[in-house]
Amino acid sequence: KQKTAYEISLGLVGSEMCIRDRTCAAPRTMDATTMADVVEAESLDGVLMVNVVHISSRAATLGMFAGSAKALRKGGLVFVYGPFKVGGEFRSEGDARFDASLRLKDPENFGLVDLEWMDEQARSVGLTPASVDGMKSPVEMPANNLTLVYAK
């Protein structure tokens, strides 16, 4: 049965995430750093990552991109929502304060990352910034957040 709708549970911490589709009775939990090892190739139309990157290790982000690239069918999309820096700069004073508070908890892994770093990592696994319904990535969202869109 084709999998079409996905959500990531925000109740998990760090590099663990949960994916649920309409055909599953319960979500699957996996370590995002090894996502590519457990996902079925070309089995998904889309992947959604919400408020994950800034509270996960960089290895988890790389794993999510690698797993997404493997799991997506041609033309599939990855949506990444959250706060990001652009050109090494915070988009607001609130973002700078938020980043500082995250880095107090885990200075090596937590904190806002650069949009350009995200684009570079996506490209490294064959995902490219994309447009959806005329909106070009990155898409401005409320509270200084962005939605990044990548296509396979």
Side-chain angles (χ1 to χ4, degrees):
K1 193 169 186 179
Q2 185 174 355
K3 299 174 183 177
T4 56
Y6 301 88
E7 64 185 46
I8 298 176
S9 171
L10 302 179
L12 299 173
V13 178
S15 65
E16 289 189 4
M17 67 181 181
C18 181
I19 298 175
R20 179 182 301 178
D21 68 46
R22 292 180 186 156
T23 63
C24 291
R28 290 185 306 159
T29 299
M30 66 182 74
D31 181 340
T33 62
T34 58
M35 182 178 163
D37 296 337
V38 296
V39 295
E40 184 180 337
E42 298 184 2
S43 61
L44 306 178
D45 296 313
V47 176
L48 174 64
M49 299 179 220
V50 177
N51 287 327
V52 175
V53 174
H54 59 285
I55 56 167
S56 299
S57 69
R58 300 305 164 251
T61 300
L62 298 175
M64 287 185 279
F65 273 136
S68 296
K70 177 183 175 184
L72 287 174
R73 294 180 183 92
K74 184 175 181 179
L77 298 171
V78 177
F79 298 88
V80 186
Y81 172 88
F84 297 94
K85 294 189 289 184
V86 177
E89 300 292 324
F90 294 106
R91 294 167 32 87
S92 71
E93 288 182 26
D95 280 356
R97 286 190 302 273
F98 183 49
D99 179 78
S101 71
L102 292 172
R103 292 184 188 279
L104 285 174
K105 295 174 187 173
D106 186 339
E108 186 175 322
N109 292 304
F110 288 9
L112 278 61
V113 300
D114 284 317
L115 163 68
E116 295 82 5
W117 183 84
M118 294 291 290
D119 287 352
E120 180 181 318
Q121 303 317 308
R123 283 187 181 98
S124 76
V125 295
L127 301 171
T128 56
S131 296
V132 176
D133 292 333
M135 293 184 291
K136 184 180 176 193
S137 182
V139 179
E140 292 282 341
M141 303 299 288
N144 294 314
N145 287 312
L146 297 172
T147 295
L148 314 181
V149 184
Y150 301 100
K152 181 173 181 181

